[in-house]
Amino acid sequence: MSTKRALTDRESALPALAEAFREHGFEGATLAALSKATGLGKGSLYNFFPGGKDEMMKAVLENIDGWFADAIFSPLENVSDPAAAVTAMFDDVTAYFRSGRRVCVVGCLGLNSSGETFAVEVKDYFARWISALAHCLEVAKVPPAMAMDLAEEAISGIQGAIVLARALSDDTSFQRIVHRLQSTLLDAIGRCG
Amino acid sequence: MSTKRALTDRESALPALAEAFREHGFEGATLAALSKATGLGKGSLYNFFPGGKDEMMKAVLENIDGWFADAIFSPLENVSDPAAAVTAMFDDVTAYFRSGRRVCVVGCLGLNSSGETFAVEVKDYFARWISALAHCLEVAKVPPAMAMDLAEEAISGIQGAIVLARALSDDTSFQRIVHRLQSTLLDAIGRCG
DNA sequence: ACAAGATTGTACTGATAGGTACAAGTGATC
DNA sequence: GATCACTTGTACCTATCAGTACAATCTTGT
């Protein structure tokens, strides 16, 4: 337990870092803000993340990707009951994004030039999510082309719901939109299964 | 023509300012970047926009809102042929956002805390767009509740398509998603009309 | 308890941010 | 062509940025 503690604290700072990046964006998240959010001084932050903000964001993205892999992607990829998996996915996503009050860090990074450094991570995140969902639909006997279209539409739709819910400061619009996306997928599963 | 020229030049700087804000976001758009984008020195920028970046963004938002009012909202609000109006809207939107290569400034502003200053403008933009589209659907005899839902879904879907297309650097996904949204609306118009 | 090493706050750096001041420049009007 | 309001580049201001240096402090194995 000598070198482990560093990693532990580094790991435990990630949620707070993620929240700060979510709130202010990558450019807007100053080191002062990150320090305040984590409760760590500059010294500690640079001790854990010698690469500065870039490394912090990389770590945050890895952390998010890990969470999604466990909670969202894997269940879709190793699915046995597609309808249940789709329902679970939407429940988890709604909880994760707090009905749109919480922004998608990955999606935001893609929107402006400050995120170009992380283009690969951003791309992989969405590509994996879509293909996992498409696979789940294919298991439910949805034709591959249609499965891909529906998956793309659903992931895109979730991102749009976040944008709109934030813009209108209205959780309910997120819930309505996401619920409609879920119904569309379940309908397809029901029709083809 | 003494005081007019100021307004004219101020107006003509707006597209370049908008493009810079689009590219870098509000925080990321430094005065140096804005100066370079417009070809105007700091002196000129502060001459036209004494309020600094905030006033520039306000002016850009007004300009965007004006364009949308003319090109998108009005045709929907004073519609005679709903199906044609919906088709025209999607054509215009696809061209405007360059199939997702161009980001929606308004949507982006809503996503992080730097845009809180413009919360009202952001909200109004989306609210008017949705209600204009809903009105257009109602003219096509789509029941009010369904019209509202479909409009919300379409605008949200467009925003999502931008996020996804940017993230994947893939124009075609934008086009597929938007085309599907268009079909959904035209189907509803066809069924109810 | 003690030494070795990890961790942290604080003070610093140079660069750059947004914004101001202002003198030089511009062109229309009389 | 002199005047005048408007326009513009440049130099400058203070605050804050990301990042560094390091001494002080804490942990931990022995």
Side-chain angles (χ1 to χ4, degrees):
Chain A
M1 277 240 190
S2 57
T3 53
K4 285 280 178 61
R5 206 181 143 249
L7 274 176
T8 302
D9 278 350
R10 181 187 149 120
E11 211 66 23
S12 74
L14 292 180
L17 285 177
E19 216 57 46
F21 282 130
R22 235 185 284 274
E23 180 72 10
H24 304 101
F26 182 65
E27 305 247 19
T30 67
L31 278 176
L34 297 172
S35 177
K36 190 179 172 191
T38 55
L40 298 170
K42 264 194 204 183
S44 311
L45 284 176
Y46 274 89
N47 183 36
F48 294 136
F49 308 94
K53 269 173 80 173
D54 277 38
E55 191 175 336
M56 295 180 211
M57 181 55 103
K58 275 253 159 64
V60 163
L61 287 177
E62 265 175 45
N63 188 50
I64 290 176
D65 203 66
W67 187 88
F68 269 83
D70 290 348
I72 312 277
F73 304 156
S74 288
L76 292 172
E77 284 161 355
N78 315 313
V79 69
S80 57
D81 179 348
V86 163
T87 303
M89 183 193 92
F90 279 106
D91 286 349
D92 289 345
V93 161
T94 301
Y96 182 82
F97 290 121
R98 307 264 163 78
S99 301
R101 261 167 304 160
R102 234 181 168 198
V103 150
C104 177
V105 186
V106 193
C108 286
L109 269 182
L111 287 174
N112 55 44
S113 63
S114 69
E116 276 167 17
T117 321
F118 314 102
V120 176
E121 286 85 349
V122 171
K123 194 173 198 160
D124 287 354
Y125 168 87
F126 283 109
R128 184 168 176 201
W129 194 353
I130 291 174
S131 80
L133 181 55
H135 171 264
C136 171
L137 296 173
E138 285 184 43
V139 169
K141 303 269 188 299
V142 177
M146 186 193 259
M148 196 63 191
D149 276 9
L150 285 172
E152 189 177 60
E153 186 183 353
I155 306 312
S156 158
I158 290 167
Q159 295 296 314
I162 294 172
V163 174
L164 192 65
R166 288 278 304 198
L168 298 176
S169 343
D170 177 16
D171 295 11
T172 65
S173 62
F174 179 92
Q175 285 157 351
R176 280 195 301 272
I177 293 163
V178 159
H179 193 265
R180 240 159 9 231
L181 293 169
Q182 182 177 345
S183 300
T184 306
L185 296 190
L186 292 179
D187 279 2
I189 290 175
R191 266 202 319 278
C192 305
Chain B
M1 279 241 188
S2 57
T3 53
K4 285 280 178 63
R5 205 178 145 245
L7 274 177
T8 304
D9 279 348
R10 179 186 149 120
E11 212 67 23
S12 73
L14 291 180
L17 285 178
E19 217 55 47
F21 282 130
R22 236 186 282 275
E23 180 71 11
H24 303 102
F26 182 65
E27 305 248 20
T30 66
L31 278 175
L34 297 171
S35 177
K36 190 179 172 191
T38 54
L40 297 171
K42 263 194 205 182
S44 311
L45 284 176
Y46 274 89
N47 183 36
F48 293 138
F49 308 94
K53 272 174 78 173
D54 277 39
E55 190 174 339
M56 295 180 211
M57 182 54 103
K58 273 254 158 64
V60 163
L61 287 177
E62 264 176 46
N63 189 51
I64 290 176
D65 202 67
W67 186 88
F68 269 83
D70 290 349
I72 312 277
F73 304 157
S74 288
L76 293 172
E77 285 161 353
N78 316 312
V79 69
S80 58
D81 179 348
V86 164
T87 302
M89 182 193 92
F90 279 105
D91 285 350
D92 289 345
V93 162
T94 301
Y96 181 82
F97 290 121
R98 307 262 164 81
S99 301
R101 262 166 306 160
R102 233 180 169 201
V103 150
C104 176
V105 186
V106 193
C108 285
L109 269 184
L111 288 176
N112 55 44
S113 63
S114 70
E116 277 168 16
T117 322
F118 314 102
V120 175
E121 287 85 349
V122 171
K123 194 172 199 160
D124 287 354
Y125 168 87
F126 283 109
R128 184 170 175 199
W129 195 352
I130 290 173
S131 81
L133 181 54
H135 171 263
C136 170
L137 295 174
E138 285 184 42
V139 169
K141 302 272 190 298
V142 177
M146 185 192 262
M148 196 63 192
D149 275 7
L150 285 171
E152 188 177 63
E153 185 182 354
I155 305 314
S156 159
I158 290 168
Q159 295 295 314
I162 294 172
V163 174
L164 192 64
R166 288 277 305 195
L168 298 175
S169 342
D170 176 17
D171 295 11
T172 64
S173 61
F174 179 92
Q175 285 157 351
R176 279 195 302 273
I177 292 164
V178 160
H179 192 264
R180 235 152 20 226
L181 293 170
Q182 183 177 345
S183 300
T184 304
L185 296 190
L186 292 180
D187 279 2
I189 291 175
R191 264 204 316 280
C192 304

